[in-house]
Amino acid sequence: MTTAWHNQDEEAKLWAEERWSRIVDKVGRTSKRIGASFPYASVNGQYNDEPVDWWTNGFWPGLLWLIYRETGDERLRAIADEVETKMDEPLQAFEPLHHDVGFMWSLSSVAQYKLTGNEKSKLRALTVASHLTGRFNLKGGFIRAWNPPERIGWAIIDCMMNLGLLYWASEATDDPRFRHVAMAHADMTLRDILRPDGSTNHIVCFDPETGERIESRGGQGYAPDSAWSRGTAWALYGMAISARYTQEERYILAAKRTAHFFLANVPDNGLPPYDFRAPWEEGMGMDASASICAADGMLELSLLLPEAEAKLYRNAAYRLLRRVDETCGAWDDPKEEGLLRFSTANFPRRTHVNVPIIYADFFFAEAVCKLRGKTDIFW
Ligand code: GLY
């Protein structure tokens, strides 16, 4: 008797092809209604429109650029370009800018520059990379997160996803200083935020004068010593990006241990609570975006490993994406613009709980591209 060898890569590719055509179809339809706006969360089936300086404003153009890259659809290119141009308002005002310029301009300006060579986009991306570098606190070795005066010494795990902008800027200018700052921040994360078990909280506070670590805070997670699920995904994918640009083993190991923590804790249906260590409560916020971003990060990690190891992370990522898709997919609901349900923006503040959110859509589309063999990223 012969045993058929089950080729999971083949299965994953077929699944991803089918999902990709649905993504192109659904995003194409949504783009006709919302155009060059700033969608964040889906409210009653329709994406809302945020102010021009909101931290998630890169995800919509990023999603459009992913599709343009393959379809060459000029209508989508024009929308992504218009969104990017509107974002010149906060760029020129400077004051409202925070550390999330990486989320905002990697997926708009860096994406456009990589795909079209637009010099204006390159200039925008280098301008915000300089801004991000300027937020570096030399004593504490961290990039300052937010602007309120009482938060001068705060750094947050999310910033791992903003570092790609700095690595890219070093390559674009042939100047290592951006990379030096990014690596110092990643090393601070290894030292002061990410725990030995691969879990993470949201915020760490330093004395901005001396750089001494004072305390950690729960922030969007449950508590200072709990495990914010989306924060875990930010750490995983962010470490993989740092490893991709630097080839440093310590970042690969950190991404692996974070992946192991995520996989050991995510429920069978692929849908984690907003915090892995929060006590269960009625109406609890779940977070599909955490699983999707974590799976996307595992695919990124797999690209850095020898094949025997790489396939373990690739397969784990595929299985996680499938499970979360089965649990959360909104493909067959024409009244829902979001691709996947059940993400939560901020459960402690009860904002956008268990709804489709634009970054879940973006990371799902990016991960599907990777499963189809399109592994270039805009980060
Ligand atoms: N960067 C904020 C969040 O993850 O919601």
Side-chain angles (χ1 to χ4, degrees), residues 55 158 220 228 230 234 345 359:
W55 77 273
D158 323 29
Q220 287 171 237
W228 182 34
R230 190 163 63 255
W234 293 149
Y359 42 76

Side-chain angles (χ1 to χ4, degrees), residues 260-277:
H260 300 169
F261 178 84
F262 202 98
L263 291 169
N265 284 280
V266 68
D268 280 347
N269 66 359
L271 183 58
Y274 79 101
D275 191 306
F276 288 118
R277 293 185 181 137

Side-chain angles (χ1 to χ4, degrees), residues 57 100 108 209 260 375:
N57 287 352
D100 279 331
S108 53
E209 285 292 349
H260 300 169
T375 55

Side-chain angles (χ1 to χ4, degrees), residues 40 54-56 59 99-100 103 146 156-159 162 202 220 228 230-231 234 287 289 344-346 357 359:
Y40 172 38
W54 188 237
W55 77 273
T56 60
F59 290 104
H99 75 134
D100 279 331
F103 280 110
W146 297 310
I156 66 176
I157 193 64
D158 323 29
C159 194
N162 291 319
H202 187 187
Q220 287 171 237
W228 182 34
R230 190 163 63 255
W234 293 149
D287 197 0
S289 76
T344 293
N346 188 331
I357 295 186
Y359 42 76

Side-chain angles (χ1 to χ4, degrees), residues 15 43 113 164 280 295:
W15 176 80
V43 180
Y113 176 64
W280 176 256

Side-chain angles (χ1 to χ4, degrees), residues 247-264:
Q247 308 300 316
E248 287 291 340
E249 187 70 11
R250 63 187 184 279
Y251 302 145
I252 294 184
L253 290 174
K256 281 184 185 174
R257 84 172 192 263
T258 313
H260 300 169
F261 178 84
F262 202 98
L263 291 169

Side-chain angles (χ1 to χ4, degrees), residues 266-342:
V266 68
D268 280 347
N269 66 359
L271 183 58
Y274 79 101
D275 191 306
F276 288 118
R277 293 185 181 137
W280 176 256
E281 60 181 286
E282 199 55 40
M284 176 123 144
M286 308 304 280
D287 197 0
S289 76
S291 278
I292 296 164
C293 177
D296 197 0
M298 284 178 227
L299 292 172
E300 198 62 36
L301 172 63
S302 75
L303 298 170
L304 304 166
L305 302 172
E307 176 54 19
E309 236 190 316
K311 73 174 180 213
L312 302 177
Y313 293 95
R314 207 164 58 232
N315 291 346
Y318 163 58
R319 286 194 297 268
L320 184 53
L321 286 169
R322 269 204 86 144
R323 278 185 285 150
V324 77
D325 178 56
E326 280 157 18
T327 309
C328 306
W331 308 104
D332 297 323
D333 182 353
K335 295 205 176 82
E336 175 55 70
E337 288 179 342
L339 305 182
L340 297 122
R341 304 177 203 277
F342 303 123

